[in-house]
Each structure stands twice: as structure tokens, then as C-alpha cells.
Amino acid sequence: MVCSAQTKPVAVGAEATNEYFPLLKGKRIAVLSNHTGMVGNEHLVDLLKRKDFNVVCIFSPEHGFRGNADAGEHVSSSVDEKTGIPILSLYDGDTGKPSVKSMSLFDVLVFDLQDVGLRFYTYYATMVRMMDACAESQKKMIILDRPNPNGHYVDGPILDMKYKSGVGWLPIPVVHGMTLGELAMMVNGEKWLPEGRICDISVIKCKNYTHQTMYQLPIPPSPNLPTMKAVYMYPSTCYFEATPVSLGRGTDKPFLVYGHPNMLSYSFSFTPRSIPGAKNPPQLNKICYGVDLSNLSDSDIWKKGVDLTYLIDAYTNLNMGDHFFRSFFEKLIGVSYVRKMIKEGCSADEIKKKWSDDVEKFKKQRAPYLLYQE
């Protein structure tokens, strides 16, 4: 794996205004974005308003339009205080898809979210549901593409669709290595929308970006991914969400530590507290003993990819057997065999070998849809 530093600065799709402004002239515009939808120092919505485009509504994803809600938290529909534009929340109902009434308000949807490239990070599922809603309503969707900070590799098993959920929406690996624009092209090309629907999309590409560009996110994409190291460790530590083990929500190192009050023989400890973005974290106010991963080098993390060593360590230490895993684990990892192999005492390398065919298969499958050099 060869990773290159950014030489020329990456220009995100939202900066290519000459490419998408002409598509918006005279149209009623909906914007699906959040706090990451910045064009330089200005939010996309503010830019469109300043240029006198007719923005009629905003859709907000998980964590809300301003990005400060907890994961999966109910986010009410409201009004953007700065612009007075109605915010229609995708988490303000049961379907995660806007109503027919909401869809009738606009002619074109502009989608601009910073993703982190993982199957259980919900922004791509939001995009796919909106693609389906637009396809049903015959509305155009413009995707302003952004780099994938985990776009330099593919790893993990392809989702067994019997575990399809809000944290696993498509038959893709844990780390798919694609931008949202590329993934949208694949959704259409592989006919992954219900009933084979196709969404009319235009992808506005990033400039000066390849899949080996180690793109530094200018803004944390959600409250519990505050640093690039957390973004890089997320594919390896997120599985603790399906166990009693804390992964550091409620501390200043979410996804970079793990621990539990009953874990033995560790000198490191931490205590999760109630903080914005993690109001009621696992093991709240309890001293957890465990491991601090925040000193790992970025290159070590990249080299290992999805690393189940930490999960296996906690499983072995706590010695809880099946009480360690919740059913949510299969939704995160996407297949049934990983839990079984951990219980049988298999190593992280043995488990990774089991999904290596999935990785190669997916790389071939996604190849026609890549917009950027590998």
C-alpha cells in the first residue's frame, strides 16, 4: 500500500461551482448536508443563498444539520436559524425516507456530506435512501463529491444481506474504499435500489484526489470522530459498540481506547462521562481498565487495516462467553462466522484470511465505477 501526502490541495466537489450552478438555475432546490458541507469558509447553504438560488428546504442526516446529536438520536424537524430555511430531518419519522409531501417541495436535490468510507457509518445509507426517494419522485440528484479518508484500501467481509440494517445497507465490505459519488454510481450500475429503480444523478468530482491521497478532514464528521486517528481506528474498534466494553465514548479519545470495569491486568484506565455527542455512553461514570491505542502511528493503523486483535483481547480477558456479544455484532461485522471464529479461539489474521476472497471480489465489482485513480 503506497499512500501519498497531499501535494496540490484537494478541491472538493462543492468548490466546482461552474459545474453545478448551471444545473440549479431556475430550480427549487433541496440540500441534504450537515456541518461538513463547507465550501472554503462558507457553508454550501449560505453560498447558494448568497448567489440567489432558490433553496426551499434542507434535509439533515444522523447527528443533525449542525452535527451535534448523538448517534441514532431522534432529531426533530426545525428551521435553520441563520437562513430561515425549513430543516426536514430524515430521523423525524420511522422510514428514514422523506414523505411524498416533502419530495414535492423541490425539483433538484443537492447532496453534500463528508463520509468516512465505512459500511456502518450511516451517511451513505442516507444517500441511498434519498436516491430511491428521488428515483420514485423523478427528481434529479446532484452529488458534490468529497474524498474518502479511508479510501486507500478495501477490507472486511461483504455484508450478508440477511443482516441488512441502518448500519449495513448494501452488499459491500466494511471498508469499501470508495467516495460517495463512486458508491452512488455503483448503486445505479448494480441496480441496488428497490425494484431496480435508477436515480438520475450527476456527480461533481473532487480535483487533485486519488485513492492514495491521505486526505485530512478539515472538520470532524461527527461528535465521536474528533481526530484523524479516530477515523483511521474506527474500522477496528467500532465492534465494541456490540459488547459491554467501552470504546471511549464520553472521553477525549473515542474509538482510541477500550476498557471495562472488570477487565484485569491493565495499568491504563479511563472513566466515561456524559458529554455533548455522548450523553449516555456505555459504562457511564465507571472506571474502565483497558488499552490506550492513541499512540499507534497512522502508518501502523493503515498497514493493519481492519484489526480484530483488540476485540479478541477484550473477549478473552473478560471471559464472558456469549454474554460478550450482542446481536448487533453481526449487523456491524456483516457475517455470522466472525463471532464463531472468535469463540473458537481463531486469531485476527485467520479471520481476515477468511474474508480475503470478498475483498478481491469487491475490488473487481467496483472497478467500473471508480472516478479516481487507485
Side-chain angles (χ1 to χ4, degrees):
M1 191 191 304
V2 181
C3 301
S4 58
Q6 284 159 243
T7 42
K8 279 186 185 168
V10 170
V12 299
E15 292 175 66
T17 52
N18 59 320
E19 292 180 40
Y20 66 94
F21 275 9
L23 305 175
L24 302 178
K25 280 205 175 108
K27 299 281 199 296
R28 297 174 304 158
I29 302 160
V31 174
L32 199 171
S33 189
N34 65 2
H35 65 292
T36 64
M38 299 297 287
V39 192
N41 295 321
E42 190 174 24
H43 195 277
L44 173 67
V45 168
D46 300 328
L47 169 67
L48 294 175
K49 283 289 283 181
R50 185 165 60 77
K51 295 290 185 180
D52 291 326
F53 286 105
N54 182 22
V55 181
V56 293
C57 61
I58 297 164
F59 289 104
S60 68
E62 185 172 21
H63 306 297
F65 183 57
R66 296 295 171 197
N68 54 3
D70 282 9
E73 182 181 356
H74 179 91
V75 180
S76 300
S77 296
S78 58
V79 169
D80 179 40
E81 287 177 16
K82 189 167 180 186
T83 59
I85 298 168
I87 298 174
L88 309 177
S89 173
L90 298 175
Y91 275 66
D92 197 24
D94 297 324
T95 61
K97 217 162 89 172
S99 64
V100 174
K101 185 185 171 199
S102 294
M103 294 301 293
S104 69
L105 298 174
F106 64 89
D107 306 309
V108 60
L109 177 80
V110 181
F111 178 96
D112 186 17
L113 284 177
Q114 178 60 62
D115 191 47
V116 298
L118 302 183
R119 191 182 64 224
F120 38 64
Y121 198 65
T122 60
Y123 292 169
Y124 80 93
T126 298
M127 177 184 75
V128 176
R129 286 197 291 263
M130 285 304 293
M131 284 176 68
D132 191 39
C134 286
E136 276 186 306
S137 308
Q138 297 182 309
K139 307 283 179 171
K140 181 164 183 67
M141 190 161 165
I142 298 169
I143 296 168
L144 307 181
D145 213 8
R146 288 181 179 263
N148 176 355
N150 284 307
H152 53 285
Y153 72 111
V154 175
D155 204 357
I158 291 174
L159 177 71
D160 179 338
M161 291 301 277
K162 76 178 179 189
Y163 297 120
K164 181 179 176 178
S165 73
V167 292
W169 202 255
L170 296 175
I172 58 179
V174 171
V175 183
H176 53 73
M178 301 174 81
T179 67
L180 289 184
E182 291 173 325
L183 200 50
M185 307 274 286
M186 190 170 187
V187 166
N188 270 347
E190 298 295 313
K191 299 211 165 29
W192 281 342
L193 292 182
E195 295 164 37
R197 283 190 279 273
I198 301 286
C199 180
D200 176 8
I201 57 171
S202 292
V203 177
I204 309 300
K205 288 173 59 176
C206 306
K207 308 285 190 295
N208 308 322
Y209 172 71
T210 76
H211 283 281
Q212 297 307 319
T213 307
M214 300 315 294
Y215 180 69
Q216 301 284 310
L217 299 180
I219 298 167
S222 50
N224 288 290
L225 292 175
T227 63
M228 289 309 300
K229 208 173 286 290
V231 168
Y232 299 144
M233 281 301 299
Y234 186 35
S236 298
T237 53
C238 185
Y239 315 104
F240 286 120
E241 305 270 36
T243 75
V245 176
S246 165
L247 50 67
R249 287 186 186 272
T251 75
D252 60 353
K253 293 180 181 177
F255 294 98
L256 294 178
V257 298
Y258 66 92
H260 185 275
N262 298 338
M263 278 171 61
L264 305 170
S265 309
Y266 295 99
S267 55
F268 176 72
S269 65
F270 61 92
T271 305
R273 305 286 187 202
S274 181
I275 58 175
K279 295 184 185 72
N280 188 25
Q283 306 301 344
L284 176 64
N285 296 327
K286 293 178 184 168
I287 297 178
C288 295
Y289 302 94
V291 179
D292 181 0
L293 303 167
S294 63
N295 294 322
L296 285 175
S297 72
D298 290 350
S299 57
D300 273 354
I301 300 169
W302 299 333
K303 218 181 293 170
K304 289 176 179 169
V306 174
D307 187 357
L308 297 181
T309 307
Y310 319 118
L311 183 73
I312 292 169
D313 173 53
Y315 172 80
T316 308
N317 187 284
L318 279 170
N319 198 23
M320 298 167 67
D322 238 351
H323 294 294
F324 182 81
F325 294 104
R326 304 194 182 104
S327 58
F328 188 52
F329 180 69
E330 276 68 31
K331 291 180 178 175
L332 289 175
I333 196 68
V335 289
S336 58
Y337 63 77
V338 172
R339 180 199 297 225
K340 190 165 169 280
M341 289 180 79
I342 290 173
K343 284 167 65 180
E344 287 168 358
C346 296
S347 70
D349 285 343
E350 287 171 307
I351 298 170
K352 193 188 273 266
K353 202 171 174 191
K354 174 98 171 165
W355 69 54
S356 60
D357 286 351
D358 278 10
V359 170
E360 293 314 309
K361 177 185 159 194
F362 184 73
K363 282 181 175 174
K364 287 193 185 80
Q365 188 185 11
R366 73 174 191 161
Y369 309 109
L370 294 184
L371 299 168
Y372 310 96
Q373 183 188 333
E374 282 192 81

